Amino acid sequence: DAGVIQSPRHEVTEMGQEVTLRCKPISGHDYLFWYRQTMMRGLELLIYFNNNVPIDDSGMPEDRFSAKMPNASFSTLKIQPSEPRDSAVYFCASTTEVGVSALGGYTFGSGTRLTVV
Amino acid sequence: GENVEQHPSTLSVQEGDSAVIKCTYSDSASNYFPWYKQELGKRPQLIIDIRSNVGEKKDQRIAVTLNKTAKHFSLHITETQPEDSAVYFCAASFPLSGGYNKLIFGAGTRLAVHP
């Protein structure tokens, strides 16, 4: 398995532009998570999906952020309009259950380093 | 609220010494506690995890202990090697409605192992 695949690896954009980050989870994993990592705030959970349905989006910082999972093998995180404070590494992770309500360890993608200038 | 505290934020040891990183969590309902290692510019990778029905788990030079009463858990690395140098994150599961859980991460510990 190729693991969790994210694209692009790096994104530099101007303030006000729309940014779309992409993720392909491991085949068979029915949980998908979007995390944001910064020096100041560490790893923050933005949103997570189970069977393509958003379960918890309480970490999404503002209405400028939106996430979708149209099918089991693809998810997007969109920022519109982007701002310099959105600069961070965005990780996608996936997992599946290993028992009753017990999740297995998360597998993270390589991340997208976003720079908004 | 949901909170995971991790200490120390930085740790420097000599090769061959042991390293201990400690975490506390806020919700007694938490039942899953993984540890991740993140090398510079890389993704976090799971190195060991423990569930609430177990007090200790070992995997070669790495061990994790859990004290549910005190709501804290620790990572122990013995015989440290330079390649152990990385940032280590603890995490704890927090329950959501509908039987779901979410992982909240600690702030990380930057471990430096000097030859």
Side-chain angles (χ1 to χ4, degrees):
Chain A
D1 198 317
V4 177
I5 300 172
Q6 289 187 247
S7 65
R9 290 296 305 274
H10 303 274
E11 177 81 34
V12 180
T13 190
E14 290 186 347
M15 182 174 65
Q17 296 298 306
E18 177 180 295
V19 175
T20 299
L21 312 181
R22 297 173 176 78
C23 176
K24 177 177 166 43
I26 290 174
S27 177
H29 281 191
D30 48 356
Y31 288 82
L32 182 140
F33 310 85
W34 283 100
Y35 280 86
R36 176 171 69 177
Q37 186 174 39
T38 60
M39 287 296 292
M40 292 298 295
R41 301 173 71 90
L43 272 165
E44 302 174 274
L45 176 63
L46 301 178
I47 186 169
Y48 91 80
F49 295 86
N50 175 227
N51 291 322
N52 315 337
V53 176
I55 299 302
D56 180 33
D57 65 355
S58 59
M60 295 286 264
E62 302 168 36
D63 291 345
R64 298 184 297 106
F65 286 69
S66 62
K68 294 183 180 179
M69 191 163 187
N71 57 62
S73 58
F74 184 65
S75 176
T76 59
L77 178 68
K78 186 178 292 187
I79 308 172
Q80 165 64 20
S82 57
E83 296 182 3
R85 60 196 169 112
D86 301 330
S87 298
V89 180
Y90 291 81
F91 285 104
C92 175
S94 71
T95 191
T96 189
E97 289 187 2
V98 294
V100 176
S101 298
L103 295 185
Y106 293 12
T107 301
F108 282 82
S110 297
T112 295
R113 182 174 295 278
L114 173 65
T115 303
V116 183
V117 297
Chain B
E2 305 153 350
N3 192 39
V4 178
E5 300 271 349
Q6 184 170 347
H7 300 280
S9 57
T10 60
L11 181 58
S12 183
V13 300
Q14 290 296 125
E15 182 177 0
D17 288 350
S18 295
V20 181
I21 302 170
K22 300 182 179 182
C23 290
T24 60
Y25 57 98
S26 57
D27 193 333
S28 57
S30 296
N31 60 11
Y32 176 59
F33 309 91
W35 287 86
Y36 287 80
K37 175 183 180 182
Q38 187 177 28
E39 296 175 354
L40 189 63
K42 301 281 184 66
R43 74 190 78 188
Q45 292 195 293
L46 179 71
I47 55 171
I48 194 168
D49 57 11
I50 192 168
R51 298 190 186 272
S52 59
N53 58 344
V54 175
E56 182 177 1
K57 185 175 178 181
K58 276 186 163 181
D59 183 2
Q60 299 181 342
R61 296 186 297 107
I62 292 173
V64 58
T65 58
L66 172 65
N67 183 328
K68 284 223 74 179
T69 303
K71 291 190 283 188
H72 68 68
F73 56 113
S74 301
L75 178 72
H76 304 252
I77 306 173
T78 58
E79 300 171 30
T80 54
Q81 302 166 3
E83 50 265 39
D84 294 330
S85 298
V87 179
Y88 290 81
F89 293 94
C90 64
S93 65
F94 287 81
L96 299 170
S97 61
Y100 292 101
N101 290 274
K102 64 179 180 180
L103 272 188
I104 302 296
F105 284 80
T109 296
R110 185 173 299 278
L111 173 65
V113 180
H114 301 285

